[in-house]
Amino acid sequence: MPTKAEVDESTGLILVPADAYWVTDLELAEITSAMRVAMISCKRRMNVPTDEPRRTIPDEQDTRRFAGLWRMANAERYGYVTPMSKAKEQAIADQSDPLSAPTQAELDAAETCASSDSTVMELQEQPPDGPWLRALNAAEDEARASREWAEVVADWGSCLAERGLSVDTENMAPDGVDWKAVGERRVQPVDVELAVVDVTCKRQHDTAQRLADLVAAAQAPVVAKYGAELQDQRAGFDRQLAKARRVLSEAGL
């Protein structure tokens, strides 16, 4: 059972042992897209007008931030704003029209489809909420509360202190970031400067890898204990993915 995390700066992915049993962002987008296609088809069979089917755009990969911001390419360009593809920005804009709220007929049809259409039901099925999920969450909490975690954070914090910066441990960033601007997706030059110093220190102390390895080591015995259940969970996701890909293919998406 691996006790090390995979930290890949080129893709922005941090993978810990339990990730092998869950869907990736891209896989989740496929399932979500197919479920939407199936829902639209079901509504149309009930003679309820609705939107044209389209794919869901997945989130960018740099979303798991045990160490806060940790990719220099993002720090130099975006500061603390999470990068978003043009396709996703357009998809959000397309879906933000307040006039496009569903009608009552659509809502009623959606409720019917969710409980009677076999394809919709299969694609929206959630994995069982077994004890392994609680155990994995507890393992991560334990890792974050450990002395080893605090030591890694202290190493990074000392590096920032040498550069005249104090630490915002909640966000794993230097104090002084304009989080209001970040929430509004505005890249501020001062935030970019802070981000570059932040990531320089994290690189110097291998912060992302060390924190992710602590989570991986904490998860490993849980994954070993519940291996059969987690494999069944992944098999369920794989069945959903196969169905989703057929639905998308048949829809020309």
Side-chain angles (χ1 to χ4, degrees):
M1 181 58 56
T3 58
K4 289 279 190 179
E6 295 180 34
V7 177
D8 187 343
E9 181 155 348
S10 65
T11 62
L13 285 173
I14 295 180
L15 299 175
V16 291
D19 290 331
Y21 305 98
W22 296 89
V23 287
T24 65
D25 287 345
L26 181 57
E27 290 170 336
L28 179 60
E30 288 185 285
I31 294 171
T32 302
S33 297
M35 185 166 62
R36 188 168 187 275
V37 169
M39 181 67 77
I40 288 170
S41 297
C42 179
K43 289 178 181 178
R44 287 177 174 173
R45 288 195 298 273
M46 299 170 67
N47 296 317
V48 175
T50 189
D51 296 333
E52 288 298 313
R54 56 190 169 191
R55 272 189 177 268
T56 299
I57 307 297
D59 290 330
E60 298 302 304
Q61 293 290 5
D62 183 26
T63 54
R64 170 174 280 158
R65 293 186 171 182
F66 293 129
L69 177 67
W70 60 279
R71 297 178 76 195
M72 186 60 79
N74 288 351
E76 293 175 332
R77 184 173 179 183
Y78 302 104
Y80 291 90
V81 175
T82 302
M84 184 181 295
S85 67
K86 293 295 184 184
K88 179 142 188 169
E89 288 180 354
Q90 187 60 53
I92 290 172
D94 289 346
Q95 296 173 35
S96 63
D97 181 359
L99 299 179
S100 63
T103 64
Q104 188 60 50
E106 284 186 278
L107 293 172
D108 292 342
E111 185 174 351
T112 299
C113 291
S115 60
S116 63
D117 184 280
S118 60
T119 300
V120 172
M121 293 169 68
E122 181 177 348
L123 292 172
Q124 72 180 1
E125 185 176 349
Q126 298 297 306
D129 182 13
W132 54 92
L133 180 58
R134 292 183 288 278
L136 288 169
N137 288 336
E140 181 170 333
D141 290 343
E142 180 182 336
R144 289 177 181 273
S146 68
R147 174 180 55 81
E148 292 84 359
W149 188 283
E151 289 173 352
V152 177
V153 173
D155 287 343
W156 160 70
S158 296
C159 179
L160 290 180
E162 290 170 2
R163 291 157 173 78
L165 297 171
S166 53
V167 174
D168 172 1
T169 53
E170 182 178 351
N171 292 299
M172 283 297 291
D175 277 324
V177 176
D178 186 344
W179 293 110
K180 182 175 185 294
V182 172
E184 296 169 353
R185 301 193 57 77
R186 290 186 287 114
V187 179
Q188 305 280 72
V190 66
D191 288 346
V192 171
E193 292 175 11
L194 288 171
V196 170
V197 175
D198 179 9
V199 175
T200 297
C201 283
K202 284 169 181 165
R203 282 183 163 187
Q204 181 177 324
H205 292 281
D206 204 17
T207 306
Q209 183 72 61
R210 290 166 68 194
L211 293 182
D213 283 348
L214 289 173
V215 174
Q219 280 190 349
V222 179
V223 173
K225 179 178 180 179
Y226 292 106
E229 291 87 349
L230 287 166
Q231 287 171 6
D232 286 345
Q233 174 179 285
R234 181 65 222 192
F237 284 133
D238 287 339
R239 287 191 294 272
Q240 283 184 312
L241 274 169
K243 181 72 170 182
R245 288 165 181 165
R246 287 196 298 272
V247 168
L248 292 171
S249 177
E250 290 169 1
L253 298 174

